[in-house]
Amino acid sequence: MLIARVIGDVVATQKHASHQGRKALLVQPLHLDGSDRGTAVVALDAVDAGIGDRVLLVTEGYSAMTGVGRPNSPIDMAVIGVIDSIHLDDPPSPSS
Amino acid sequence: MLIARVIGDVVATQKHASHQGRKALLVQPLHLDGSDRGTAVVALDAVDAGIGDRVLLVTEGYSAMTGVGRPNSPIDMAVIGVIDSIHLDDPPSPSS
Amino acid sequence: MLIARVIGDVVATQKHASHQGRKALLVQPLHLDGSDRGTAVVALDAVDAGIGDRVLLVTEGYSAMTGVGRPNSPIDMAVIGVIDSIHLDDPPSPSS
Amino acid sequence: MLIARVIGDVVATQKHASHQGRKALLVQPLHLDGSDRGTAVVALDAVDAGIGDRVLLVTEGYSAMTGVGRPNSPIDMAVIGVIDSIHLDDPPSPSS
Amino acid sequence: MLIARVIGDVVATQKHASHQGRKALLVQPLHLDGSDRGTAVVALDAVDAGIGDRVLLVTEGYSAMTGVGRPNSPIDMAVIGVIDSIHLDDPPSPSS
């Protein structure tokens, strides 16, 4: 899963039936320091996440469908958790 | 899902039977500012999207097959929604 | 699907049984201007594509297996169409 | 699988039910010399890995679900082994 | 599939049961000129590949599980062929 932040949402009236009733969130993947990690993507919401929340993002189809409770749907990304805290215990060292 | 724009289409007469009757769209993934995000890809159309439409693009096989209603087909990308509007509520901040 | 060109083939005698009887093509993904998009990959042939053909490449396991008619096989890329023509109607504009 | 190091963990109280009872580890993929390979990701733990451990990371949904014994769950990354040692026999040469 | 070279192996005693009895190879993906393509990954061996062999690497979960004969296992990469020769017939031209 990626760490991401909810930054908006997307409205599409002409869409696949399986997306009805689920909010399509615009989410920005983040680096550990909170800076942007690539470009924002669109993910269906499975946990009532709100704007500004730091969330867990799944980016694989089968996982995403399951996350929103809609197997056999064209859904490849979903927000499946709201992050309370991140504990960083040991920054990776350059020596193995 | 990625935000993308339909910029053309692809014709292939010698192709897998499961692709018959579905338009193969040329779609350009976009950044939030509308600029190109990498190179255009080919996706089957599930929502009668037209040239110039901003669309939702799934880029995973199982999702894409389901989107166009053809499970067990060699389809790994599909256009599954036409975007009406994008609401950007909160640009990601560099501090977590 | 990606647009790619067939540039060669790969011979492997010691291989998984499911690959027997299918040509392993060396295919180069392409940008829209025909230039190389990353490095060439190896894909099984589902449509009797020939050297130099511009083709449609699926790059996802389940799609690829289905494309060559061999579910439950270790195949993650397949050539599933020969492209006749690409129509580019509307270059993406930088404004959304 | 990728080689990675466990560098922390993530707490999310509002999350998908399938994640209950499994630790969400923060893992940093590594290059062979032990330096960072991209940004850290979040993976469920299947082998009681600890902070600082070098681990095997699967980054695909179906594999990850299976690794943690929870099929049909929104899990796309999992820690499925603790690495004891890496044997590097032959650095890749530039000539094929 | 990617072209790769076997450059070592990885030992993990604390691991998922499905990995028992299969060698975990360290494989380096290659460009066509034999130079490194990104960083080495860990793949299970399905064809008794040896150190130094040029091999075919699948990098997708379902394909990889099938390749090593262990469906429902946390395996997302596998070595499924030993390459005898690569024929490069037609370098991609910049014009389409």
Side-chain angles (χ1 to χ4, degrees), chain C:
Chain C
M1 285 73 69
L2 301 182
I3 297 169
R5 190 182 300 279
V6 180
I7 61 168
D9 61 277
V10 170
V11 176
T13 47
Q14 182 182 341
K15 63 184 172 185
H16 195 272
S18 63
H19 282 228
Q20 305 295 342
R22 283 286 186 188
K23 211 190 288 191
L25 299 174
L26 192 63
V27 293
Q28 172 64 56
L30 300 176
H31 290 294
L32 284 180
D33 65 359
S35 63
D36 290 2
R37 177 184 193 163
T39 290
V41 296
V42 180
L44 291 205
D45 180 24
V47 286
D48 287 320
I51 297 294
D53 282 349
R54 262 198 315 185
V55 296
L56 285 175
L57 173 69
V58 292
T59 60
E60 195 263 349
Y62 194 71
S63 310
M65 292 171 206
T66 308
V68 298
R70 302 194 174 174
N72 302 313
S73 300
I75 301 167
D76 60 0
M77 297 189 191
V79 170
I80 55 97
V82 177
I83 296 174
D84 297 313
S85 60
I86 297 174
H87 304 118
L88 188 63
D89 293 80
D90 187 9
S93 80
S95 66
S96 62

Side-chain angles (χ1 to χ4, degrees), chain A residues 1 3 31 37 47-48 58-60 62-63 66-67 80-90 92-94 96, chain D residues 7-16 19 28 33-34 36 39-40 42 51 54 61 65 72-77:
Chain A
M1 284 73 69
I3 296 169
H31 290 294
R37 176 186 194 163
V47 287
D48 287 318
V58 292
T59 59
E60 194 262 349
Y62 194 72
S63 308
T66 308
I80 54 98
V82 177
I83 296 175
D84 297 313
S85 60
I86 297 174
H87 304 118
L88 187 63
D89 294 80
D90 186 9
S93 79
S96 62
Chain D
I7 61 168
D9 60 278
V10 170
V11 175
T13 47
Q14 182 183 340
K15 63 185 171 185
H16 195 272
H19 282 228
Q28 172 64 56
D33 64 0
D36 290 2
T39 289
V42 180
I51 298 293
R54 264 197 315 186
M65 292 171 207
N72 302 314
S73 300
I75 301 167
D76 60 0
M77 296 190 192

Side-chain angles (χ1 to χ4, degrees), chain B residues 17-29:
Chain B
S18 63
H19 283 228
Q20 305 295 342
R22 284 286 186 189
K23 211 190 290 190
L25 299 174
L26 192 64
V27 293
Q28 173 62 57

Side-chain angles (χ1 to χ4, degrees), chain B residues 5-92:
Chain B
R5 190 181 301 278
V6 181
I7 61 169
D9 60 278
V10 171
V11 176
T13 47
Q14 181 182 343
K15 64 184 173 185
H16 195 271
S18 63
H19 283 228
Q20 305 295 342
R22 284 286 186 189
K23 211 190 290 190
L25 299 174
L26 192 64
V27 293
Q28 173 62 57
L30 301 175
H31 290 294
L32 285 180
D33 65 0
S35 63
D36 291 1
R37 177 186 194 162
T39 289
V41 295
V42 180
L44 291 206
D45 181 23
V47 287
D48 287 319
I51 298 294
D53 282 349
R54 263 197 316 185
V55 295
L56 284 175
L57 173 68
V58 292
T59 59
E60 195 262 350
Y62 194 72
S63 309
M65 292 171 207
T66 308
V68 298
R70 303 196 174 173
N72 302 314
S73 300
I75 301 167
D76 60 359
M77 297 189 191
V79 170
I80 54 97
V82 176
I83 296 175
D84 297 314
S85 60
I86 297 174
H87 303 119
L88 187 63
D89 294 80
D90 187 9

